[in-house]
Amino acid sequence: MSAPITIIGSGFAAYQLIKTIRRTDKLTAISLFTADAGDDYNKPDLSHVFSKNQSASDLIKISSKQFASDFNVDLHPFSRVERIDRVEKNITINGIKFTYSKLVLATGADAFIPAIQGDAFTEIITLNSLAEYERSQSKLVQAKRIAIIGAGLIGTELAMDLKQSGKEVVVIDPCTSLMANMLPEFVAHSLQKKMCKSGVVFELEQTVNALNKVENGISVQLSSGVTHYVDCVISAAGLKVNTDLAKQAGLKLNKGIVVDLQLKTSDENIFAIGDCAEINGKVMPFLQPILLSANILAKNLSGEPAELKLTTMLVKVKTPLMPIQLAGDCVIRASRWQVDIDATGTTVKAFNEAEQMVGFVVTEERMKHAFPLLKQLNN
Ligand SMILES: Cc1cc2nc3c(=O)[nH]c(=O)nc-3n(C[C@H](O)[C@H](O)[C@H](O)COP(=O)(O)OP(=O)(O)OC[C@H]3O[C@@H](n4cnc5c(N)ncnc54)[C@H](O)[C@@H]3O)c2cc1C
């Protein structure tokens, strides 16, 4: 019997790949090893668990056992892969070796925690996986006051959701506006204004100098000298791509595990997909590039060569007080904006120096224009 296709990880990338393979091929042996429980859940739902009063188990769509049976996979939960031997084509888990025919790394990314002084540093919570939410769930539910480090997409979504569930929330970020690398400042200011009105406190242009345990909580000392007292601190300061295994195996790395348009790493029998993969110099930690990648990788694994064609994707910002959709680049490459604002919302088109449209942002009722604008952007 030939060795199986082996997948490491059980996030959206791994499971989307398996679902795609099984649409046409019910029989090829697939083994999967994952460090976590392997239950199938939708990670973006973590952005609104507090306002919806959902527990970690509420988010599980299919248990790992059911997934293994539904999709004919030899699934090994709680099995952290320690080593890849590219010459012998095997992986090691708890000292036991398992051979592979083709290997897929879907190891994702970990939440980045900035180095901060103080004895409450180890109390920092991250919410980048179901297991992380499960671990901190009761602490977060009981907490009345929460500090969020990072006002990017995830930090902003979490802040609004926690506020809507009745918590006091303070958001700290070194940038001058929230979601600074995605939103033009004036759009970010409108969102900030709505969030402030609902009671969220923003400490922008600030870093956290120290986190210390105090009676009844944690003191959060800011670079300005201001101190906030909270019950929990969440880090939403970005991601750190999970490249340890790939590094040990000597695969080519840059910001992530470097793959070509066939999702192939520097080893022809090893592929990478999802938050851990770097395609065309970019790591794209979103569902849509994973969906497209899964279609291509399923074909390549079945011996039908195919190449990924990436189009500009739509990003939905899950901030119900001011829902936003955006695509392309409205900040770095934009040399001018065309802005249309009224009571129904905002439409911003960004143009580069050559007067080509390079991105757009639509808010509230203007979101109905997102798809036509996306089409325009992709032409
Ligand atoms: C709060 C939140 C909201 C989001 N909202 C959106 C959104 O609205 N839209 C959107 O497009 N994207 C969103 N994202 C991003 C999106 O969810 C991710 O891009 C996607 O889920 C990543 O999937 P993945 O499979 O690549 O990685 P992961 O889900 O991180 O999976 C990695 C897997 O690898 C396993 N693993 C790692 N190392 C090993 C090892 N050595 N051995 C065995 N197993 C290992 C882990 O246990 C895990 O199962 C959001 C993310 C968060 C955190």
Side-chain angles (χ1 to χ4, degrees):
M1 210 170 75
S2 63
I5 292 175
T6 298
I7 300 172
I8 307 178
S10 61
F12 182 75
Y15 281 0
Q16 193 55 38
L17 175 63
I18 291 170
K19 287 171 190 172
T20 312
I21 293 172
R22 286 294 183 239
R23 261 183 235 144
T24 51
D25 171 0
K26 309 280 182 218
L27 292 178
T28 297
I30 301 177
S31 290
L32 182 146
F33 296 85
T34 181
D36 57 37
D39 298 320
D40 187 16
Y41 73 105
N42 182 37
K43 195 184 275 197
D45 289 346
L46 288 169
S47 291
H48 42 66
V49 280
F50 304 104
S51 61
K52 289 192 170 171
N53 202 11
Q54 285 174 309
S55 68
S57 55
D58 291 334
L59 298 195
I60 297 172
K61 292 192 294 185
I62 314 177
S63 71
S64 61
K65 210 170 160 196
Q66 189 65 48
F67 189 93
S69 149
D70 289 356
F71 294 97
N72 186 22
V73 177
D74 177 26
L75 198 154
H76 301 250
F78 304 113
S79 299
R80 182 169 284 280
V81 178
E82 293 142 13
R83 215 180 170 286
I84 299 169
D85 182 335
R86 289 166 51 195
V87 178
E88 297 297 325
K89 287 175 77 181
N90 65 42
I91 55 173
T92 306
I93 300 111
N94 292 327
I96 302 169
K97 292 185 188 342
F98 296 83
T99 53
Y100 61 81
S101 55
K102 304 275 179 205
L103 182 66
V104 178
L105 301 175
T107 48
D110 291 332
F112 170 72
I113 303 180
I116 298 171
Q117 311 257 319
D119 64 1
F121 175 72
T122 51
E123 303 285 309
I124 295 177
I125 289 168
T126 54
L127 285 175
N128 186 44
S129 68
L130 191 65
E132 285 161 52
Y133 176 45
E134 193 170 29
R135 272 200 296 278
S136 305
Q137 189 176 308
S138 64
K139 248 191 200 171
L140 287 165
V141 169
Q142 280 164 30
K144 291 196 169 62
R145 308 158 300 169
I146 296 181
I148 298 177
I149 303 173
L153 176 71
I154 306 293
T156 302
E157 289 183 349
L158 285 173
M160 190 175 285
D161 195 61
L162 284 160
K163 186 68 228 170
Q164 294 200 317
S165 76
K167 316 279 187 197
E168 284 174 32
V169 182
V170 55
V171 183
I172 304 135
D173 195 289
C175 294
T176 51
S177 60
L178 49 85
M179 293 177 59
N181 61 0
M182 295 176 106
L183 291 180
E185 241 181 34
F186 58 94
V187 181
H189 284 158
S190 305
L191 177 60
Q192 187 181 341
K193 219 165 129 189
K194 292 209 166 143
M195 291 178 73
C196 286
K197 216 169 152 195
S198 79
V200 177
V201 173
F202 284 93
E203 292 282 11
L204 298 178
E205 295 181 78
Q206 299 294 323
T207 52
V208 178
N209 277 359
L211 293 172
N212 282 296
K213 291 179 188 166
V214 290
E215 202 184 341
N216 295 330
I218 297 170
S219 71
V220 184
Q221 283 167 252
L222 304 184
S223 42
S224 61
V226 167
T227 300
H228 289 270
Y229 295 92
V230 299
D231 304 305
C232 287
V233 178
I234 297 174
S235 178
L239 294 172
K240 191 167 68 64
V241 177
N242 214 329
T243 53
D244 293 356
L245 267 181
K247 191 175 176 189
Q248 169 274 310
L251 299 175
K252 189 171 175 204
L253 302 176
N254 187 30
K255 292 177 211 151
I257 305 168
V258 175
V259 294
D260 62 15
L261 292 175
Q262 296 188 339
L263 285 313
K264 197 190 295 159
T265 67
S266 49
D267 181 315
E268 63 174 353
N269 293 307
I270 305 183
F271 300 78
I273 183 169
D275 284 8
C276 67
E278 176 183 321
I279 310 166
N280 275 347
K282 278 197 257 173
V283 174
M284 291 168 281
F286 292 100
L287 303 184
Q288 200 217 349
I290 299 178
L291 267 171
L292 298 174
S293 298
N295 288 334
I296 296 304
L297 184 49
K299 285 190 181 152
N300 285 319
L301 289 171
S302 74
E304 184 192 331
E307 289 207 341
L308 186 64
K309 285 188 192 71
L310 283 171
T311 53
T312 307
M313 64 176 171
L314 194 63
V315 176
K316 296 179 185 177
V317 187
K318 303 185 287 300
T319 42
L321 288 177
M322 180 175 150
I324 299 172
Q325 295 187 357
L326 56 97
D329 180 356
C330 286
V331 180
I332 296 155
R333 287 164 62 212
S335 67
R336 84 172 173 91
W337 293 307
Q338 185 184 310
V339 184
D340 178 8
I341 306 181
D342 67 17
T344 64
T346 301
T347 304
V348 181
K349 292 183 192 172
F351 295 89
N352 65 11
E353 276 177 4
E355 281 299 304
Q356 288 154 331
M357 190 169 131
V358 287
F360 69 84
V361 179
V362 282
T363 77
E364 298 140 300
E365 288 175 42
R366 300 296 185 86
M367 291 194 306
K368 60 180 178 241
H369 303 306
F371 280 106
L373 285 168
L374 188 66
K375 215 167 154 194
Q376 208 178 319
L377 202 56
N378 275 322
N379 272 339

